[in-house]
Amino acid sequence: MRIVVIGGTGLIGSKVVARLKADGHEAVAASPNTGVDTITGEGLDDVLKGASVVVDVSNSPSFEADAVMEFFQASTTNLLAAEAAAGVGHHVALSVVGTERLPESGYFRAKVAQEELIKGSGAPYTLVHATQFFEFVKGIAASATDGDTVRLPSALIKPLAADDVADAVAGAAVAAPLNGMTEVAGPEEFPLDELVRIGLKADGDPREVVTDESAGYFGAPLQERSLLPGPDAHLSTTRYADWLSAGR
C-alpha cells in the first residue's frame, strides 16, 4: 500500500514511516520539511496521488489556545478534502487518551475539534488514542516549573514509549478502518508527579517535584483517573525503568 504520513519527519511519524517501510509498504513522509504543508495546501494533492491510507500524526507548532485550534481545524479540513479528491480509503489520526475529559485545556479542545471533523467527514477512519510518551516527561516538567520547583498533581497515568505508539499507529494504518477509536497505553501506572520525579532524577536534574493537587496539566485540572485509558486499551510492554536505562 501507498501510505502517506502527515508529520512523517517528527518523533512519531519518522518511526511510523520506518515500520511501514520495513513491512514492505510504500510509506511517504509528508511535512513542511518535505514540501507538504496542510495549512497552505502546498504539495498536498501531489503527495496523495495513489495513496490508500493517510496517517496524521502532525502537531501544532504552538500550544496557545487560539493558535492550536486554528492549526487542527485548518489542517484537518484541508487534509480531509484533499483525501476525498484523491480517493483515499482510510484516515488514521493520532490523538490523546482523556482528550474529551479535559475541556479546560485549549490544546485538548482543539484535539476534540479535530476528531469531530474526522468523524463528520464521511471518510473511513481510525482514531488512535495514546497516553503520554516517556519522551515527553521533560516537556511536562517544563510546563509545570516555577523556579527550581515542579508542581504536579498525583493523577494517575500509564505512559508508554514513542516506539510503542508508532507500532500502534502503523498497525492501525494497515488494518481495516474502525470508524471509531482504539486506545494504547503503557504497562505500568504512575502518579504523574512521581513519573516526572523519576525522570528528572535519572537525568540528574536538581529540580524538586512537589505534589500539588491544584496544579493543572497544560491548563486543565485533573481528577485521579482523567489520564487513564479504559479497560480495553492495548498495553505495550516497554517499562519506564528499562527505557531510561537504555539511554532513550
Side-chain angles (χ1 to χ4, degrees):
M1 285 192 288
R2 178 177 170 85
I3 302 172
V4 176
V5 182
I6 305 296
T9 59
L11 172 65
I12 301 298
S14 59
K15 294 176 184 293
V16 172
V17 168
R19 280 154 176 73
L20 292 170
K21 285 183 175 180
D23 288 338
H25 299 286
E26 182 188 355
V28 181
S31 73
N33 291 339
T34 68
V36 179
D37 191 324
T38 56
I39 300 299
T40 66
E42 179 186 0
L44 199 51
D45 291 339
D46 286 341
V47 80
L48 293 185
K49 288 178 181 177
S52 300
V53 182
V54 166
V55 174
D56 186 5
V57 294
S58 63
N59 209 353
S60 172
S62 169
F63 280 19
E64 190 276 325
D66 290 341
V68 72
M69 180 66 78
E70 290 172 7
F71 173 86
F72 280 118
Q73 288 187 323
S75 177
T76 304
T77 297
N78 291 342
L79 188 54
L80 290 168
E83 287 175 31
V88 174
H90 187 189
H91 181 97
V92 178
L94 177 62
S95 193
V96 187
V97 165
T99 288
E100 70 286 356
R101 297 191 289 270
L102 303 171
E104 296 88 353
S105 164
Y107 182 84
F108 292 111
R109 286 197 302 273
K111 291 299 288 183
V112 168
Q114 178 192 28
E115 293 185 23
E116 291 304 317
L117 286 169
I118 294 166
K119 294 174 185 176
S121 69
Y125 72 92
T126 299
L127 300 175
V128 179
H129 278 204
T131 53
Q132 194 53 267
F133 318 150
F134 297 154
E135 286 84 350
F136 203 57
V137 167
K138 290 181 181 179
I140 297 172
S143 73
T145 294
D146 180 11
D148 294 327
T149 301
V150 180
R151 298 186 180 277
L152 287 167
S154 61
L156 300 174
I157 190 169
K158 299 185 78 168
L160 74 170
D163 281 337
D164 295 329
V165 178
D167 286 343
V169 173
V174 299
L178 292 179
N179 293 318
M181 179 267 291
T182 184
E183 292 184 313
V184 59
E188 302 169 288
E189 190 172 280
F190 296 88
L192 182 61
D193 56 336
E194 183 62 14
L195 175 72
V196 173
R197 191 175 289 118
I198 293 168
L200 294 185
K201 182 179 179 180
D203 282 342
D205 191 314
R207 283 177 290 177
E208 179 186 8
V209 179
V210 174
T211 305
D212 181 352
E213 302 302 351
S214 68
Y217 181 72
F218 298 104
L222 294 180
Q223 302 298 317
E224 182 184 39
R225 303 185 68 81
S226 297
L227 301 178
L228 290 181
D232 296 327
H234 299 277
L235 300 183
S236 60
T237 59
T238 308
R239 294 182 173 275
Y240 191 39
D242 294 337
W243 179 84
L244 287 170
S245 64
R248 288 85 82 190

